Amino acid sequence: MENYPFDTTGLTSDTIDLFNDTYMALKAKFDVQVTGNIDFQLEQFEVFNQYEDVNIRGSYALKHENGNDCYVILVEAHSSTMGKYERFHHYHYQTWALAYVKNDFDRVLIRRETLTDKIIELVHPVELDFEEDKAFSDTFYVLVNDRDKAVRSIDRNFRNAVMDIREDGFVVEIIGHTLIAGSQNPVMPGMAVHLAEFAERVCKSCW
């Protein structure tokens, strides 16, 4: 049996192939090392609140000379729905990037702004806007706990890195010094590479 660099327990052959293609795509472009069992404490992030549990199937460190490594994580998110006679279990396989940043952002959530967001904002403004960066503020909805920390940390370089990700459903969530970025869309090798590029860029510009 092939020794894959991720947990294959219960996975279909198609999902195993997709995970392996994702790993090979990362390895072709980055200095990637399999991390082993690291608890990234994903349960603390709001983006996973809708799931009953979240498991890491594979995690890879993108090595840097300055020692500030970032990570790409293959996640299995589990939810269930109740049918007429039985409960149905659903497993969602997603890719997320994780980076540790120098500044303390407190809590920040960044996602693409919707028409509903724009309408609500007219009545009850809660998001953080950047008057000097209208393109960013028109594209992304930014919710923060501490406006002063967020304004200091979400600088032009950071905003430019976020703007360069053109993926539907793209979300950035930051708690203190820990940032995750990704989407709830299925694992795709190309998206994993884009997220890795974003994480590397954040590591370089925010450290």
Side-chain angles (χ1 to χ4, degrees):
M1 184 175 179
E2 187 168 349
N3 185 25
Y4 291 103
F6 47 83
D7 178 12
T8 62
T9 306
L11 298 181
T12 66
S13 59
D14 286 346
T15 302
I16 290 172
D17 288 344
L18 186 57
F19 275 25
N20 196 54
D21 289 346
T22 299
Y23 171 72
M24 296 305 294
L26 291 168
K27 191 175 179 181
K29 189 159 186 179
F30 304 96
D31 180 7
V32 174
Q33 291 185 11
V34 178
T35 66
N37 297 321
I38 295 180
D39 182 6
F40 291 103
Q41 299 181 317
L42 297 183
E43 67 279 356
Q44 67 183 315
F45 292 97
E46 290 184 17
V47 292
F48 298 117
N49 281 355
Q50 65 183 290
Y51 300 110
E52 294 174 23
D53 62 312
V54 176
N55 298 306
I56 295 174
R57 286 300 193 122
S59 58
Y60 314 104
L62 310 181
K63 306 301 291 184
H64 292 282
E65 292 180 358
N66 66 2
N68 185 26
D69 300 338
C70 48
Y71 303 85
V72 174
I73 304 170
L74 299 179
V75 168
E76 176 186 77
H78 168 230
S79 62
S80 64
T81 54
M82 191 64 203
K84 188 173 182 180
Y85 301 108
E86 61 181 316
R87 181 169 293 277
F88 296 94
H89 296 272
H90 314 281
Y91 295 91
H92 315 268
Y93 298 102
Q94 305 165 359
T95 314
W96 292 84
L98 184 144
Y100 297 107
V101 293
K102 184 177 182 179
N103 288 344
D104 178 3
F105 283 68
D106 198 68
R107 293 193 72 106
V108 174
L109 181 68
I110 303 172
R111 57 173 172 78
R112 289 196 172 272
E113 190 165 42
T114 66
L115 179 58
T116 301
D117 293 331
K118 294 180 186 296
I119 294 172
I120 292 174
E121 193 68 15
L122 293 174
V123 180
H124 184 56
V126 294
E127 74 163 319
L128 175 61
D129 277 322
F130 297 86
E131 294 182 3
E132 73 281 12
D133 196 345
K134 191 173 186 302
F136 178 85
S137 291
D138 285 347
T139 304
F140 288 98
Y141 195 68
V142 182
L143 295 175
V144 305
N145 271 15
D146 189 312
R147 293 181 73 89
D148 290 338
K149 286 184 178 180
V151 168
R152 285 196 302 269
S153 302
I154 305 175
D155 60 15
R156 173 69 69 174
N157 288 332
F158 183 86
R159 296 196 301 270
N160 287 346
V162 174
M163 282 288 285
D164 284 345
I165 297 289
R166 302 295 180 180
E167 174 75 11
D168 290 338
F170 177 63
V171 176
V172 176
E173 186 173 351
I174 311 165
I175 299 177
H177 298 274
T178 306
L179 173 151
I180 62 168
S183 78
Q184 294 171 339
N185 294 332
V187 170
M188 293 296 291
M191 183 57 185
V193 170
H194 290 320
L195 288 173
E197 291 171 340
F198 171 77
E200 278 204 324
R201 190 169 171 183
V202 167
C203 282
K204 291 176 182 177
S205 65
C206 296
W207 194 256

